[in-house]
């Protein structure tokens, strides 16, 4: 088609299109550059996490102790604990050893399950619970990857269950976790292990704050109870550490050799560590002052931004419905509800599944002990 427009108009129109092309090219370049930077950042973060996870797995092993509970054969409690490992960077990749302490039969003084004792009629529930835990370890899914389940032949108690788990630990450090404690906020676990590695004589134990009313993180209360004994936080390699007067059983990282050589030889069968070794430490430090604390080297990790905050919660507290429990929206309660929903959905799916598989799902969700409708 013949264009009768004057040359000046053609030039202006051409310049306008050239300007539009330049702007479009610039916008495209900016968008593509931002997308490439985001992808590069994600790749770098994933690479660093993988590298840090591999380093942590070479230094740390998790020992989880479990025993008979009224929730058996359901595994929702343990699944919540393992799922909470994803809150802590790198923790899901480390080796994990689950120690199942065998219950003691007591039909006269125990209603169902209490302190490692069960009635004979409930023993089958615990056997099914152990089988379910073993199956989860064999599945190797997510946090259950690199997990091993050990079943003790008789009742040993918490202290000796930790000792049984340490027989399979090949790393320098061990994290001890009870079956009803879960992480609800991240902790700098890599930095904790690195600091313990750099200060082997000074730091032998690092615990994580729990949502309880313990007074040992309150210097004023400690001074009042122990004749003016003064404790104060100290900064070590960028970590805020508070000296502890007791070796607590709650979630902590410790040197494996110190556990084997110093702690466990003083623990009797059936004892908790904090009730035996922990009480000895309290008496020693109270009598001889903070100079005696150097022999134990146990500290609590504090968050400088949240001095009264906590990183670990008791699942029983998270499940509580009392009005004073403000933690219902915390990680543990939400995770239990999520797992129950997932398992219920699996039961509702119209699929050809054998009776054993359906029963195992009902056990995991905790539906075996009460009548439920048959899912179609």
């Amino acid at each position: 088609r013949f264009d009768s427009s004057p040359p000046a108009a053609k030039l202006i129109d051409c310049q306008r299109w050239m300007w539009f092309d330049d702007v479009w090219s610039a916008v495209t370049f900016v968008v593509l550059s931002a997308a490439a930077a985001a992808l590069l950042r994600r790749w770098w973060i994933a690479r660093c996490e993988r590298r840090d996870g591999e380093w942590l797995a070479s230094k740390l092993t998790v020992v989880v102790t479990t025993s008979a509970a009224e929730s058996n054969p359901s595994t929702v409690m343990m699944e919540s604990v393992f799922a909470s490992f994803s809150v802590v960077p790198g923790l899901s990749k480390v080796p994990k050893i689950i120690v199942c302490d065998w219950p003691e039969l007591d039909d006269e003084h125990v209603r169902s399950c209490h302190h490692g004792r069960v009635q004979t009629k409930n023993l089958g529930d615990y056997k099914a619970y152990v089988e379910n835990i073993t199956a989860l370890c064999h599945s190797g899914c997510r946090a259950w990857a690199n997990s091993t389940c050990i079943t003790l032949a008789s009742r040993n108690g918490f202290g000796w269950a930790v000792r049984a788990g340490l027989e399979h630990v090949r790393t320098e450090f061990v994290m001890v976790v009870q079956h009803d404690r879960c992480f609800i906020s991240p902790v700098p676990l890599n930095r904790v292990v690195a600091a313990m590695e750099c200060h082997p004589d000074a730091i032998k134990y690092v615990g994580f704050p729990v949502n309880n009313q313990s007074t040992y993180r309150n210097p004023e209360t400690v001074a009042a109870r122990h004749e003016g004994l003064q404790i104060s936080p100290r900064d070590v390699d960028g970590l805020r550490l508070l000296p502890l007067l007791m070796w607590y059983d709650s979630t902590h990282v410790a040197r494996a050799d110190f556990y084997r050589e110093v702690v466990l030889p003083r623990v009797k069968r059936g004892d908790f560590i904090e009730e035996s070794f922990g009480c000895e430490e309290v008496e020693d430090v109270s009598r001889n002052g903070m100079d005696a604390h150097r022999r134990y080297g146990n500290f609590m990790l504090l968050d400088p931004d949240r001095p009264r905050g906590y990183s670990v919660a008791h699942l029983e507290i998270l499940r509580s419905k009392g009005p004073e429990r403000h933690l219902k929206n915390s990680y543990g309660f939400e995770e239990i509800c999520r797992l129950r929903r997932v398992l219920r959905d699996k039961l509702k799916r119209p699929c050809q599944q054998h009776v054993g598989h359906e029963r195992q799902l009902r056990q995991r969700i905790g539906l075996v002990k009460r009548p439920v409708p048959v899912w179609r």
Side-chain angles (χ1 to χ4, degrees):
R1 182 180 176 183
F2 179 74
D3 189 359
S4 59
S5 58
K10 292 182 180 181
L11 179 61
I12 294 174
D13 187 60
C14 181
Q15 290 177 345
R16 183 183 300 114
W17 280 104
M18 289 178 61
W19 176 85
F20 178 79
D21 288 343
D22 291 341
V23 172
W24 178 255
S25 299
V27 171
T28 303
F29 174 78
V30 171
V31 171
L32 292 178
S33 298
L39 290 174
L40 182 61
R41 182 176 181 273
R42 291 180 60 182
W43 172 82
W44 180 255
I45 292 175
R47 181 177 180 273
C48 292
E49 290 180 350
R50 184 169 59 253
R51 181 190 59 193
D52 293 343
E54 293 173 354
W55 179 84
L56 189 63
S58 67
K59 300 291 182 180
L60 180 71
T61 301
V62 177
V63 172
V64 184
T65 62
T66 185
S67 57
E70 294 185 1
S71 60
N72 299 151
S74 172
T75 57
V76 170
M77 184 168 65
M78 279 285 283
E79 290 187 68
S80 298
V81 173
F82 268 65
S84 76
F85 290 167
S86 62
V87 175
V88 181
L91 185 55
S92 297
K93 298 182 179 180
V94 307
K96 293 168 282 290
I97 299 172
I98 304 171
V99 183
C100 300
D101 194 13
W102 200 252
E104 180 180 339
L105 299 180
D106 189 347
D107 292 325
E108 296 182 0
H109 304 92
V110 178
R111 290 182 297 177
S112 57
C113 299
H114 186 67
H115 287 292
R117 296 180 173 86
V118 301
Q119 292 183 354
T120 304
K121 64 179 182 180
N122 295 320
L123 183 60
D125 291 337
Y126 186 68
K127 291 181 179 179
Y129 168 75
V130 174
E131 292 175 359
N132 293 337
I133 292 294
T134 304
L136 288 170
C137 291
H138 290 166
S139 69
C141 295
R142 297 182 181 179
W144 293 89
N146 202 9
S147 299
T148 305
C149 183
I150 301 169
T151 305
L152 304 182
S154 60
R155 181 173 179 267
N156 288 261
F158 174 76
W160 280 30
V162 172
R163 186 180 72 168
L166 278 167
E167 293 177 358
H168 301 267
V169 172
R170 300 293 179 265
T171 54
E172 185 178 0
F173 303 97
V174 60
M175 173 183 282
V176 177
V177 179
Q178 295 169 314
H179 66 176
D180 54 1
R181 304 292 175 100
C182 71
F183 284 98
I184 60 173
S185 62
V187 295
L189 189 57
N190 280 48
R191 292 166 55 195
V192 169
V193 174
M196 296 179 70
E197 188 177 35
C198 293
H199 308 277
D201 297 328
I203 307 175
K204 303 177 178 68
Y205 167 114
V206 174
F208 304 103
V210 188
N211 62 323
N212 56 22
Q213 302 299 322
S214 176
T215 58
Y216 279 102
R217 71 159 83 183
N218 189 332
E220 292 77 13
T221 305
V222 171
R225 290 188 175 183
H226 300 281
E227 300 180 356
L229 189 66
Q230 298 294 324
I231 63 171
S232 59
R234 61 189 68 175
D235 295 325
V236 180
D237 296 345
L239 301 174
R240 180 69 57 85
L241 300 178
L242 178 70
L244 290 174
L245 302 189
M246 174 179 282
W247 190 282
Y248 287 102
D249 291 333
S250 187
T251 306
H252 61 271
V253 176
R255 302 191 64 85
D257 55 353
F258 190 79
Y259 244 124
R260 296 188 185 100
E261 298 170 5
V262 180
V263 179
L264 293 176
R266 306 184 192 180
V267 179
K268 299 179 181 179
R269 179 190 292 269
D271 287 349
F272 285 94
I273 298 173
E274 65 183 31
E275 293 177 352
S276 52
F277 181 79
C279 291
E280 290 183 14
E281 179 188 358
V282 172
E283 295 178 2
D284 186 13
V285 178
S286 299
R287 183 172 56 252
N288 300 309
M290 289 304 295
D291 289 339
H293 182 266
R294 298 176 183 175
R295 293 195 290 268
Y296 304 94
N298 53 334
F299 299 86
M300 176 184 291
L301 179 68
L302 298 181
D303 186 349
D305 298 329
R306 299 186 307 149
R308 304 298 299 176
Y310 48 85
S311 305
V312 176
H314 195 292
L315 283 175
E316 191 64 33
I317 293 178
L318 293 177
R319 288 201 301 266
S320 176
K321 298 180 181 179
E324 73 281 0
R325 303 301 188 186
H326 62 283
L327 307 173
K328 282 196 66 176
N329 294 326
S330 296
Y331 180 84
F333 181 83
E334 292 181 351
E335 187 60 24
I336 287 179
C337 293
R338 185 189 72 81
L339 288 169
R340 285 186 179 274
R341 288 194 301 269
V342 169
L343 295 174
R344 285 180 186 271
D345 290 341
K346 287 184 178 181
L347 284 172
K348 292 180 181 179
R349 292 173 187 170
C351 60
Q352 297 295 328
Q353 57 186 12
H354 54 82
V355 178
H357 178 68
E358 181 176 344
R359 177 174 175 80
Q360 187 180 46
L361 283 178
R362 292 179 182 276
Q363 288 176 349
R364 287 176 61 187
I365 200 173
L367 295 176
V368 167
K369 292 186 176 182
R370 51 185 174 278
V372 293
V374 179
W375 302 108
R376 298 295 183 185

